[in-house]
Amino acid sequence: MSNWNWQLDGWIVLTGIFCSVAAALLGNFLVLRRMSMLGDAITHAVLPGLAVAFFVSESRSSLPMFLGAAIVGVLTALFTEWIRRFGRVDEGASMGVVFTSLFALGLVMIVQAADHVDLDPGCVLFGAIEFTPLDTTTIAGIEVPRAVVVLGSVVVINALFVVVFFKELKLSCFDPALATTTGFNASAMHYLLMVLVAVTAVASFESVGNILVVAMFIVPPAAAYMLTDRLGHMIAISVVLAVLSAVLGHVAALEVPGWFGYRSTTTAGMMAVVSGVLLLACALFGPRHGIVTRFVRRRMLALKILADDVVALLYRLQEREDSASADSRTLQSTLLTDSLSMRIVLRWLQRKRQIEVQENEVKLTNAGEDAARQLVRSHRLWEQYLSSHASIDAARLHDKAESFEHFTDRVLRKELDQATGTPTIDPHGKPIPLERSEES
Amino acid sequence: MRLAGWTQFVAAVVLLGVAPVSAFAQQSHNGQDHEIRSDRSIAGRSAQWPAWEDLERVVTLRDYNVRIVVFGTTLLGCAAGMVGSFTLLRKRALMGDALSHATLPGIAVAFIIATYAGSEGKSMLILLAGATISGLLGVGTILAIGRLTRLKEDTALGAVLSVFFGAGAALLGVIQQMQSGHAAGLESFIYGKTASMGMADTQIIAAAAAVCIVGCVAFFKELKLLCFDDGFAGSRGFPVTRLDMGLMALVVVVTIVGLQAVGLILMIALLIIPAAAARFWTERLGRMFLIAGGIGAASGLLGAGTSALFSKLPSGAMIVLVCTSMFCVSMVFGTARGLLVRAQKRIRLNRTVDRQHLLRAMFELLESHSSPRQPQSKHAISLDALLRKRSWSTHRLLREVRRAQADEMVEWVGDRLKLTRRGAIEAARLTRQHRLWELYLIHYADLAPTRVDRDADAIEHVLEPEIVAELESLLERERATVPASPHRLNGGNVTATPTETGGR
């Protein structure tokens, strides 16, 4: 961090944060409405709007640019919708047709004016966030970069939009038909959103480039979506992630190339990369929907069920001949599992003192016998219940009961017991053990 | 509503048409100032109409350079159109978008590696290899996100696109600082450099196009099945995943060679637009495939040609704009799903339905006036009764009456309507169809008599004579008599409500 300079880097990071937050706020709704690619489409399609604005106003002042871009942004959404509806073209394809055509049109127009415009397409794509502190205006006596002012106001507008129309946006995201029937215009919300997307895109890529804004429209909300199921939380998390990616992105842009002996690299690019890394982390380790989390949870459940199966199997063996035991290999082949799982489960059960292992022979302890009895009781009560109340075919009883037994607690067992009239034997003629051994 | 949509559409098209014109106007306005500048600028000639010699030179492809460029873009357009028709039908149109963005980091890394390995950094094959690897990586990531997480495909596309492109931009930032070799050539991957395409580029494009076309033709049947019913393809024992990967590989190949030629964004257009345009002309995949190839080739040819004529029009963009205009023409005039054809079909159907409703309504009203088996065509019916019979507006009813009058189905008697002989026969036939279907529904589909009217109403307009004959034999009805209605007639039923005012 040797070359960190608050005067410069502070402003750069602030610009990045504003851009990311402005985009992420709207991006939540794009992601939820499955229109993620619309952000990308609009950011490309506004090119002719910028060009026309330039031709008309003959300057690069912001207002005409905003107007031109907003108009073309809405036109993009309109054209896409028309081609989809009237031409019956798939949504993605109609979007592709519209934005590539508009981009090509914009390119032609810009090249026409190439001699007296400094609308560099490279600048539009990659942006020049590093140079934002150089272009300043004075507000209340303080010299502030123009981009910060512009993006700051866009953040305020977007935040107001999201807060004021939160209910409407939520409803039109999840159920546009219901939204229309309750009396507000879902398609008006849609086009308002499109206007803001276009405005945000223009405000952003004037200073920070196209990539960053497209990334921020999609990636932080997508990451937030992996973490939560509530819209309010999702928006809040996406804002936090956007800020994080902006700050870490700039730091990474300064630091990472240094490891390989280079000076800093494009900040906007690194911000996008950092947001991607955050998305990856959320997708892997999200508390409910993460890939790794889900895998671990499933594995734990599988092991717990295997442990249940082991004690239940030992109990059934005991039923046949007193003080029966089995070696782990027999258990493994009977329960159709692999040796690693079996070893883990046996160790776990030993720790819980439900079994004891002597000279490779596995035996139930008293505690284990209690646990096993409850399992077997659940199993046989379920079989009885299913055969008497749900008239399930006898051949299929065992499988059903086998899957229910692991999730049956004492209260449910009591209810089953009452519902089946306190039976003593199950449909296969086996005795149903009592809840506690003392009672027998 | 529909009309409003149309006027908006037309207005927007006009607006967009005006935009470039105003750009030209602006330019001519600044004309004099511009003349002076143009001496300095390399591409400074303004868009003036080319001389006859230029035109001839381009059209006859006498110029070696033009010949190479036009040949390359034509082949590219053809291949992209063909591959694109499969991805379009597989609803993966924007996959090309994500993929072409995802190639950037691969290109950058390949450039860095090549530079460190000491070879010329811009060696074409290494860059293409890098682009291919990172493009495939991007596609793999998209498919993995779609399969493993709860994120939808569009989000996966957007996320991969922007993050990969961001990584590429960051790497380019590093490359710009490298002492050996300079990165200027890499820019052409993003913006395209059609005008300066060389023989080597065209050869690569030709090879890739050949691979794509041969691949598509060789696996046509398999890809077709994949596009329309991948579940069925899987159950028939086709390796669906591998086919999918194969299709994606074709997209990667065509995209990556295209990046060089027309640039990143415009390559996406070539993958999507010709296929989407071809879809309007046919309902058969084989023809769509050929038409898409044709449209793509034509856009490549015309676009590159125009760009060669007018030096200020960038060729990549021109190719896409030619493509877009073909799309617009196809969308309006397409013979299978074009707007005009569909509008015509809809109007024709609406008229048929209105006619049949009018005649049946009159028949039923007459029937309730007279003895059930012999409708007396001399009775005339008031418009009021007809209006009550169905929920149609006076305007619509009168319009249909005028049309029926022109066909000599009905005639006015004073201010009342009367069926002609021809109209009576037709009306009897229609009512018979309707009731046969109602009876069929009651007998064979166990529908309650109160519900059959609407069901029959939906289908009676499309009953073929063969089906009517089949219904007759099923229901064992002798020909040419109209069975009595199996339910109480609704609306202004005169039997049920004898007084005129009691209809409602």
Side-chain angles (χ1 to χ4, degrees):
Chain A
M1 290 305 226
S2 52
N3 47 2
W4 184 274
N5 174 356
W6 277 110
Q7 200 59 40
L8 277 175
D9 296 303
W11 286 126
I12 293 176
V13 167
L14 196 61
T15 317
I17 288 176
F18 279 168
C19 168
S20 311
V21 170
L25 278 173
L26 303 179
N28 285 295
F29 302 101
L30 295 182
V31 166
L32 285 177
R33 300 175 80 172
R34 305 193 182 185
M35 300 189 308
S36 309
M37 292 305 279
L38 204 58
D40 177 48
I42 284 187
T43 46
H44 285 110
V46 291
L47 205 56
L50 296 182
V52 170
F54 178 80
F55 288 131
V56 173
S57 72
E58 295 197 332
S59 72
R60 276 190 67 188
S61 60
S62 294
L63 192 64
M65 292 278 189
F66 271 118
L67 273 178
I71 292 171
V72 179
V74 174
L75 281 183
T76 310
L78 272 178
F79 285 148
T80 306
E81 180 62 18
W82 283 332
I83 292 183
R84 190 184 68 77
R85 198 187 325 154
F86 297 133
R88 294 194 190 165
V89 178
D90 164 49
E91 169 129 37
S94 58
M95 203 180 278
V97 170
V98 173
F99 90 83
T100 53
S101 307
L102 286 174
F103 186 80
L105 187 65
L107 214 56
V108 170
M109 287 158 71
I110 284 183
V111 172
Q112 293 311 310
D115 294 334
H116 36 207
V117 194
D118 47 350
L119 260 181
D120 176 18
C123 185
V124 171
L125 275 180
F126 300 117
I129 193 170
E130 289 82 358
F131 301 127
T132 45
L134 304 181
D135 179 13
T136 57
T137 59
T138 312
I139 286 181
I142 313 166
E143 222 172 281
V144 180
R146 213 166 51 82
V148 170
V149 178
V150 173
L151 284 171
S153 24
V154 173
V155 170
V156 171
I157 294 171
N158 287 355
L160 274 179
F161 172 70
V162 170
V163 170
V164 170
F165 292 112
F166 184 75
K167 189 176 52 164
E168 285 82 356
L169 280 169
K170 188 173 176 179
L171 197 52
S172 54
C173 264
F174 293 106
D175 197 341
L178 178 65
T180 310
T181 55
T182 50
F184 65 85
N185 195 338
S187 65
M189 289 310 292
H190 173 75
Y191 287 115
L192 196 54
L193 185 64
M194 291 307 110
V195 172
L196 287 181
V197 166
V199 167
T200 310
V202 181
S204 304
F205 66 48
E206 204 192 10
S207 49
V208 300
N210 198 321
I211 327 159
L212 183 56
V213 64
V214 174
M216 290 306 159
F217 271 131
I218 304 168
V219 183
Y225 188 58
M226 293 301 299
L227 296 182
T228 176
D229 287 333
R230 300 194 60 83
L231 180 59
H233 297 178
M234 179 174 161
I235 294 175
I237 294 175
S238 72
V239 168
V240 172
L241 288 175
V243 172
L244 263 183
S245 358
V247 176
L248 294 181
H250 187 58
V251 173
L254 290 182
E255 290 297 310
V256 173
W259 303 344
F260 304 99
Y262 293 102
R263 278 174 290 116
S264 61
T265 180
T266 333
T267 294
M270 281 315 273
M271 286 178 177
V273 173
V274 169
S275 72
V277 172
L278 290 177
L279 171 62
L280 185 69
C282 293
L284 288 180
F285 304 111
R288 284 188 58 193
H289 307 288
I291 299 171
V292 172
T293 324
R294 272 207 329 245
F295 176 77
V296 169
R297 204 186 303 139
R298 234 176 261 161
R299 192 82 193 119
M300 293 297 288
L301 184 64
L303 287 178
K304 186 183 163 289
I305 287 175
L306 183 60
D308 284 357
D309 286 347
V310 167
V311 289
L313 177 66
L314 288 169
Y315 183 87
R316 289 193 176 107
L317 287 175
Q318 256 180 23
E319 253 184 350
R320 259 176 254 165
E321 43 179 310
D322 256 359
S323 69
S325 62
D327 64 317
S328 69
R329 185 147 311 166
T330 327
L331 286 173
Q332 188 189 323
S333 58
T334 318
L335 294 173
L336 305 170
T337 178
D338 57 311
S339 64
L340 177 67
S341 315
M342 187 47 85
R343 235 179 304 153
I344 295 173
V345 161
L346 287 182
R347 183 138 332 143
W348 189 36
L349 284 173
Q350 254 178 308
R351 177 112 46 90
K352 279 179 23 182
R353 298 185 190 288
Q354 293 196 346
I355 58 167
E356 50 194 22
V357 184
Q358 285 169 348
E359 294 158 9
N360 211 16
E361 292 288 299
V362 184
K363 275 187 76 166
L364 282 177
T365 63
N366 282 340
E369 211 177 307
D370 276 345
R373 185 181 306 112
Q374 287 170 5
L375 274 167
V376 172
R377 177 175 161 80
S378 306
H379 181 93
R380 292 182 181 162
L381 278 175
W382 267 116
E383 285 188 335
Q384 182 61 34
Y385 178 81
L386 288 173
S387 85
S388 60
H389 283 66
S391 46
I392 303 268
D393 185 34
R396 288 172 52 217
L397 276 178
H398 180 76
D399 292 342
K400 293 254 179 203
E402 188 75 14
S403 53
F404 290 153
E405 66 178 23
H406 305 288
F407 307 100
T408 309
D409 60 358
R410 179 193 299 261
V411 181
L412 186 54
R413 273 198 296 278
K414 203 166 188 178
E415 273 180 45
L416 282 172
D417 194 32
Q418 282 166 2
T420 48
T422 355
T424 51
I425 53 167
D426 74 355
H428 302 301
K430 299 231 178 92
I432 297 179
L434 292 167
E435 190 74 32
R436 298 191 163 280
S437 59
E438 297 96 300
E439 292 168 83
S440 62
Chain B
M1 165 77 195
R2 185 167 284 277
L3 194 72
W6 269 105
T7 31
Q8 279 175 332
F9 186 75
V10 171
V13 168
V14 169
L15 196 70
L16 275 183
V18 168
V21 175
S22 71
F24 279 102
Q26 192 71 39
Q27 194 141 26
S28 56
H29 178 69
N30 291 345
Q32 289 174 345
D33 180 33
H34 185 73
E35 295 274 302
I36 306 161
R37 285 169 180 233
S38 66
D39 297 336
R40 295 186 269 123
S41 164
I42 305 162
R45 279 171 293 159
S46 63
Q48 52 188 254
W49 195 248
W52 174 247
E53 299 88 73
D54 287 343
L55 190 67
E56 198 189 353
R57 192 168 47 81
V58 169
V59 171
T60 56
L61 296 180
R62 207 178 297 152
D63 196 335
Y64 174 75
N65 215 9
V66 173
R67 201 158 58 214
I68 280 186
V69 170
V70 168
F71 184 65
T73 51
T74 309
L75 269 180
L76 182 70
C78 182
M82 287 177 167
V83 175
S85 37
F86 290 112
T87 51
L88 178 83
L89 291 175
R90 193 127 174 73
K91 298 206 188 304
R92 289 260 173 81
L94 286 178
M95 192 64 105
D97 187 2
L99 194 148
S100 47
H101 281 88
T103 55
L104 191 64
I107 293 169
V109 168
F111 181 85
I112 293 174
I113 291 175
T115 313
Y116 272 107
S119 70
E120 171 60 28
K122 274 180 277 179
S123 140
M124 193 63 196
L125 277 178
I126 296 178
L127 292 187
L128 285 185
T132 313
I133 291 169
S134 97
L136 286 176
L137 203 64
V139 172
T141 315
I142 292 167
L143 295 180
I145 291 178
R147 196 164 293 174
L148 294 178
T149 72
R150 63 189 199 133
L151 295 172
K152 307 291 177 300
E153 179 137 304
D154 65 309
T155 312
L157 281 174
V160 165
L161 176 155
S162 52
V163 171
F164 271 62
F165 200 72
L171 285 169
L172 281 186
V174 170
I175 287 175
Q176 272 155 10
Q177 299 160 23
M178 288 172 59
Q179 268 87 37
S180 55
H182 49 101
L186 293 184
E187 296 250 306
S188 73
F189 273 100
I190 300 168
Y191 309 118
K193 51 149 194 173
T194 323
S196 57
M197 255 169 27
M199 194 62 206
D201 296 317
T202 308
Q203 276 167 351
I204 289 181
I205 289 178
V211 168
C212 288
I213 295 171
V214 169
C216 286
V217 172
F219 292 100
F220 189 78
K221 185 184 64 193
E222 286 81 0
L223 290 175
K224 184 175 177 177
L225 205 50
L226 181 72
C227 289
F228 288 108
D229 196 341
D230 50 357
F232 177 67
S235 72
R236 299 286 304 190
F238 288 102
V240 174
T241 320
R242 256 180 289 160
L243 277 175
D244 216 7
M245 299 289 257
L247 182 57
M248 283 302 129
L250 288 182
V251 177
V252 170
V253 167
V254 78
T255 308
I256 283 163
V257 295
L259 283 184
Q260 276 270 304
V262 293
L264 200 154
I265 303 295
L266 308 176
M267 190 55 227
I268 303 162
L270 275 186
L271 273 173
I272 299 175
I273 304 180
R279 187 74 186 87
F280 289 112
W281 293 101
T282 175
E283 300 281 0
R284 302 197 59 83
L285 178 62
R287 282 182 210 148
M288 174 178 163
F289 178 71
L290 293 179
I291 295 172
I295 290 179
S299 329
L301 185 71
L302 292 177
T306 323
S307 164
L309 278 181
F310 302 93
S311 61
K312 287 210 74 178
L313 298 179
S315 48
M318 283 320 290
I319 294 172
V320 176
L321 289 181
V322 170
C323 227
T324 310
S325 46
M326 288 193 184
F327 175 84
C328 292
V329 170
S330 306
M331 181 163 156
V332 177
F333 299 104
T335 47
R337 315 176 114 207
L339 293 181
L340 286 183
V341 170
R342 287 218 330 268
Q344 193 195 359
K345 271 187 201 153
R346 201 177 50 238
I347 291 172
R348 202 180 294 157
L349 180 67
N350 278 349
R351 283 188 182 173
T352 320
V353 170
D354 277 355
R355 158 75 48 88
Q356 298 187 350
H357 281 161
L358 175 72
L359 292 181
R360 188 157 62 83
M362 291 181 70
F363 185 89
E364 282 172 0
L365 285 173
L366 288 172
E367 191 182 39
S368 55
H369 277 304
S370 56
S371 64
R373 286 274 156 163
Q374 282 196 324
Q376 291 171 6
S377 51
K378 64 187 172 208
H379 276 284
I381 298 160
S382 74
L383 267 185
D384 273 352
L386 269 176
L387 270 177
R388 266 201 308 280
K389 184 78 185 162
R390 273 197 167 268
S391 57
W392 42 25
S393 63
T394 321
H395 174 71
R396 190 164 168 192
L397 177 60
L398 283 175
R399 194 176 58 192
E400 190 40 49
V401 166
R402 266 199 303 280
R403 258 188 230 119
Q405 212 183 348
D407 288 344
E408 297 177 355
M409 295 279 191
V410 296
E411 57 195 16
W412 290 102
V413 181
D415 61 344
R416 293 166 86 84
L417 271 175
K418 175 174 172 302
L419 283 169
T420 62
R421 186 169 166 64
R422 202 174 147 205
I425 293 170
E426 180 69 7
R429 188 181 70 81
L430 290 170
T431 314
R432 184 176 141 76
Q433 273 186 14
H434 178 80
R435 292 191 183 157
L436 278 175
W437 189 256
E438 283 182 341
L439 286 174
Y440 172 76
L441 286 178
I442 291 171
H443 282 268
Y444 289 90
D446 286 335
L447 283 183
T450 44
R451 283 194 50 208
V452 290
D453 188 32
R454 287 184 62 175
D455 288 351
D457 209 27
I459 206 162
E460 62 177 13
H461 313 291
V462 289
L463 283 180
E464 304 282 333
E466 299 86 57
I467 297 180
V468 176
E470 211 172 302
L471 285 177
E472 277 162 355
S473 66
L474 261 178
L475 298 164
E476 292 171 351
R477 297 266 160 191
E478 66 278 32
R479 289 190 152 271
T481 55
V482 181
S485 177
H487 57 88
R488 223 182 53 135
L489 290 173
N490 63 333
N493 191 336
V494 188
T495 328
T497 54
T499 53
E500 289 266 310
T501 46
R504 288 288 144 111

